[in-house]
Amino acid sequence: QTLNFGLTFLYLACGASGTAAVKYGTMRENVLALRAVMPPTIVSSDIEISERNRPLVVQFGTNALKSSAGYDLPALLTGSEGTLGIITEVTLRLHPIPSNVVAASCAFDDLHSAAEAVAMIRMMGVPVSRCELLDEASVRAFNHSLYLGHGDSNKATGNQQQSLQLQPMEVKPMLFLEFAGHSETSVMEDLAAAQSICMDYDGRNFAFASDEETRQALWAARHRLYYSAIALRSQDGDDGGATSRSTLVTDACVPLSCFADVVTATANDVKEFGVIGPCFGHAGDGNFHCILPMLENDSVEYKEKVSQVNANLIERAMSVGGTCTGEHGVGYGKKKYLECMYGTGGIAIMVAIKKALDPWNMMNPGKILDLKAISNLPL
């Protein structure tokens, strides 16, 4: 399969992950080494580049699977969002493609029970490869996308085209699982253990499949969720509806012991504020999102409600020891939450690193840290 280098470096810059992070870890855990061009420490008006102001190209890490030599510099650059240097090369940890893969789905009467089932699956040590949770609004968005006439999903796999005939789902919170391993026996044992836990939390309609086409159909609601969510408002208004540019995608991560309460409260917020959008998550590691499509001509009041949903989500996450962003990064919009998470001492360390590596604040100024707004730090 072709590696998308642009997407790889985007994931690298944000320390991002995806549905398989519950088994393989995030980008941080999979970077062995990288090469980066560091910003100059001296800025000269001379036309000729001297050794003093020549950009420094640095190798971080090694090709070994582990190392305890010096500071963990690959981890420092990973997730730095381009604020410390320009990453030009990366060496990633590779994982073998499992011989046996089984996908499963299970419906629940309420979101809290589904999320509790996830926490129990993880606490019992059942090895899941993927573990995704969708609320009722997510399933409703999927069904709506089928109503709009997108029921045939063409997916390219190598030189083959698979056409999936998709059917509407019961509008209930859904848990999507995937199990993988070297033998069919071990995979089916893991599946049975997870199914038993789901039944303990009143799960029903537990379905599973091992062939590729059926697995894709079983997981279609999750794979199509982003565009299905935007399509919830695709025909609203005179401007053609919501787009990816006008859609807010939230991102937070909490300890698994608090996941059920926080994700349920967030879904309730969406309903109570009267905004449109599903809540879903990479439930296996406590990471969850809301996709909140907006229109360019939405009222100020509606946009403020969307912002409040996001603010409440982040504050809840931080109140239980979670983070304001699990995989999308801080950027410009979430830097105000960093002091609440790490305190002035933590911010001071970040500022010291930034000033040491980029004293002229050339690299993505204003992202993660607003150096002009920060004062009276202990360092």
Side-chain angles (χ1 to χ4, degrees):
Q1 294 184 353
T2 302
L3 181 64
N4 187 323
F5 288 100
L7 188 60
T8 298
F9 281 91
L10 175 63
Y11 271 48
L12 184 63
C14 294
S17 54
T19 60
V22 65
K23 179 175 183 178
Y24 299 108
T26 70
M27 182 59 86
R28 291 184 186 275
E29 289 81 51
N30 287 282
V31 173
L32 295 176
L34 54 84
R35 184 182 294 269
V37 178
M38 306 306 291
T41 56
I42 297 175
V43 175
S44 173
S45 60
D46 295 339
I47 296 177
E48 294 184 2
I49 298 178
S50 66
E51 289 300 322
R52 297 184 66 203
N53 62 9
R54 184 184 299 275
L56 183 64
V57 180
V58 181
Q59 175 72 28
F60 299 92
T62 70
N63 291 345
L65 292 179
K66 65 179 183 179
S67 174
S68 60
Y71 298 126
D72 190 356
L73 297 180
L76 178 63
L77 268 289
T78 302
S80 63
E81 301 182 37
T83 61
L84 301 179
I86 300 173
I87 301 170
T88 59
E89 297 179 19
V90 60
T91 302
L92 299 175
R93 184 189 302 268
L94 298 181
H95 300 272
I97 298 175
S99 303
N100 296 272
V101 179
V102 175
S105 65
C106 184
F108 293 81
D109 286 330
D110 63 90
L111 186 62
H112 197 274
S113 296
E116 284 186 314
V118 171
M120 184 57 66
I121 288 171
R122 298 287 283 137
M123 285 191 287
M124 293 297 291
V126 179
V128 291
S129 296
R130 304 175 197 267
C131 182
E132 299 286 304
L133 178 65
L134 273 62
D135 71 351
E136 291 182 18
S138 301
V139 178
R140 193 174 294 111
F142 170 69
N143 290 346
H144 178 68
S145 72
L146 300 183
Y147 172 77
L148 292 178
H150 304 298
D152 293 334
S153 176
N154 294 322
K155 180 178 178 61
T157 305
N159 295 323
Q160 297 179 340
Q161 290 284 335
Q162 296 180 339
S163 181
L164 305 180
Q165 299 298 320
L166 306 178
Q167 300 297 325
M169 301 172 61
E170 181 184 14
V171 181
K172 294 285 186 182
M174 295 290 299
L175 186 59
F176 294 89
L177 302 165
E178 186 175 278
F179 307 88
H182 68 281
S183 74
E184 182 180 357
T185 300
S186 64
V187 171
M188 295 308 293
E189 287 176 350
D190 296 337
L191 174 74
Q195 181 178 9
S196 176
I197 293 172
C198 288
M199 296 304 102
D200 289 341
Y201 287 89
D202 298 325
R204 54 195 178 84
N205 298 334
F206 192 96
F208 62 92
S210 58
D211 66 283
E212 174 71 15
E213 185 171 349
T214 308
R215 284 194 285 119
Q216 290 292 338
L218 200 64
W219 268 63
R222 173 61 188 92
H223 291 320
R224 296 160 56 93
L225 182 55
Y226 178 69
Y227 291 106
S228 295
I230 295 176
L232 286 173
R233 304 194 67 195
S234 63
Q235 297 177 333
D236 289 353
D238 299 326
D239 58 355
T243 66
S244 56
R245 281 175 164 265
S246 64
T247 296
L248 174 66
V249 182
T250 71
D251 170 46
C253 191
V254 299
L256 275 175
S257 59
C258 306
F259 179 71
D261 290 339
V262 176
V263 73
T264 301
T266 301
N268 289 338
D269 261 5
V270 172
K271 294 178 183 177
E272 292 173 4
F273 278 92
V275 299
I276 297 173
C279 294
F280 69 102
H282 311 311
D285 50 20
N287 189 194
F288 69 100
H289 313 284
C290 292
I291 302 176
L292 305 171
M294 290 184 287
L295 308 178
E296 296 294 339
N297 61 354
D298 270 335
S299 67
V300 173
E301 181 184 6
Y302 187 88
K303 292 178 179 179
E304 287 177 350
K305 288 180 179 179
V306 169
S307 297
Q308 191 59 54
V309 168
N310 185 40
N312 290 354
L313 180 158
I314 294 171
E315 289 168 8
R316 280 194 202 94
M318 294 190 300
S319 71
V320 297
T323 173
C324 66
T325 174
E327 59 180 0
H328 294 173
V330 173
Y332 299 105
K334 292 188 176 181
K335 55 189 176 183
K336 62 184 178 181
Y337 298 110
L338 292 185
E339 186 170 347
C340 180
M341 288 179 59
Y342 302 128
T344 55
I347 297 298
I349 295 296
M350 293 185 191
V351 169
I353 293 171
K354 171 69 172 175
K355 288 184 174 180
L357 297 182
D358 182 21
W360 294 92
N361 197 23
M362 291 180 170
M363 308 302 297
N364 272 352
K367 272 200 171 182
I368 301 182
L369 299 168
D370 191 350
L371 298 184
K372 294 181 180 180
I374 295 174
S375 60
N376 300 322
L377 293 173
L379 292 182

